[in-house]
């Protein structure tokens, strides 16, 4: 096939090739790349949660359940005080205590 294409069939094939390459570029730019960033963020979050779970398993294996529950309930009390003091958050104590 010589360039520029002479026959109507060759011109149609060239147009189809250009359009398909443009669509691949648009897909890459607007669909594939943002998903890669989202997946990287999610992988970071999963790694962080996994590390926290391993830490919690280690604390539970250590047998200090009383310390853990005391710390948890103190954090709940702090959160309740913050919510009572801040009416601009738009959540209530009932939203937290349902968990």
């Amino acid at each position: 096939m010589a360039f520029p294409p002479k026959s109507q069939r060759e011109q149609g094939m060239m147009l189809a090739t250009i359009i398909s390459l443009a669509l691949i570029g648009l897909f890459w730019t607007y669909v594939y790349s943002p998903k890669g960033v989202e997946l990287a963020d999610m992988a970071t979050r999963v790694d962080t949660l996994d590390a926290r779970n391993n830490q919690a398993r280690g604390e539970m294996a250590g047998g200090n359940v009383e310390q853990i529950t005391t710390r948890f309930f103190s954090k709940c009390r702090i959160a309740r005080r913050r919510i009572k003091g801040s009416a601009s958050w738009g959540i209530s104590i009932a939203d937290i205590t349902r968990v």
Side-chain angles (χ1 to χ4, degrees):
M1 178 163 93
F3 196 80
K6 305 257 187 297
S7 70
Q8 188 174 4
R9 181 179 183 278
E10 291 175 351
Q11 290 173 353
M13 293 295 274
M14 179 68 82
L15 181 64
T17 303
I18 291 171
I19 289 173
S20 64
L21 289 175
L23 289 174
I24 290 170
L26 288 171
F27 176 80
W28 181 271
T29 303
Y30 292 109
V31 177
Y32 189 76
S33 293
K35 289 289 183 184
V37 172
E38 182 180 329
L39 287 174
D41 291 342
M42 192 177 297
T44 303
R45 175 142 172 82
V46 167
D47 291 340
T48 302
L49 291 175
D50 191 36
R52 287 182 184 174
N53 284 338
N54 289 336
Q55 179 184 5
R57 280 190 200 105
E59 289 178 0
M60 291 300 288
N64 53 2
V65 177
E66 291 80 20
Q67 290 177 348
I68 295 169
T69 55
T70 304
R71 189 173 49 196
F72 173 74
F73 286 118
S74 68
K75 287 182 181 181
C76 287
R77 277 187 238 110
I78 291 170
R80 284 182 180 175
R81 276 188 245 133
R82 287 183 182 169
I83 290 173
K84 283 182 181 178
S86 176
S88 64
W89 280 19
I91 57 175
S92 65
I93 295 173
D95 293 334
I96 290 179
T97 55
R98 272 189 272 163
V99 178

